[in-house]
């Protein structure tokens, strides 16, 4: 969230057809700044956890249901998958 609001990151058309956690992590890594010292999978967990806490649970559940099964496990357990 900070990157979007304070550091000028652009989401643009950076869509991913990733169907596995590894492929999704590679996609995330490709779009992180080069100096970003974090593992892309850990970063994804942190962002999804933040989104779960900040967004409407019902809408978030619909979003999660639309993801490929392996990617659903990246969301917090409390998300009720």
């Amino acid at each position: 969230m900070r990157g979007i609001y304070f550091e000028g990151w652009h989401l643009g058309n950076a869509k991913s057809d990733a169907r596995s956690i590894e492929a999704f992590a590679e996609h995330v890594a490709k779009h992180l700044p080069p100096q970003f010292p974090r593992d892309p999978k850990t970063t994804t967990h942190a962002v999804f956890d933040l989104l779960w806490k900040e967004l409407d649970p019902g809408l978030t559940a619909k979003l999660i249901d639309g993801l490929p099964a392996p990617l659903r496990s990246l969301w917090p357990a409390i998300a009720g998958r």
Side-chain angles (χ1 to χ4, degrees), residues 15-28 41 44-45 48 63-76 79 81:
K15 295 179 182 174
S16 171
D17 292 328
R19 298 231 170 261
S20 71
I21 292 174
E22 293 76 21
F24 189 76
E26 286 178 27
H27 178 79
V28 170
K41 188 175 171 186
T44 300
H45 278 287
F48 285 178
L63 173 93
I64 295 169
D65 288 343
L67 293 173
L71 299 183
R72 294 178 197 160
S73 68
L74 294 170
W75 285 84
R81 297 174 310 292

Side-chain angles (χ1 to χ4, degrees), residues 15-66:
K15 295 179 182 174
S16 171
D17 292 328
R19 298 231 170 261
S20 71
I21 292 174
E22 293 76 21
F24 189 76
E26 286 178 27
H27 178 79
V28 170
K30 203 180 334 176
H31 290 87
L32 289 172
Q35 70 279 12
F36 195 78
R38 303 283 190 268
D39 170 64
K41 188 175 171 186
T42 302
T43 301
T44 300
H45 278 287
V47 170
F48 285 178
D49 185 56
L50 174 69
L51 291 174
W52 174 252
K53 290 175 183 173
E54 297 297 325
L55 299 177
D56 176 75
L59 294 175
T60 306
K62 288 180 184 179
L63 173 93
I64 295 169
D65 288 343

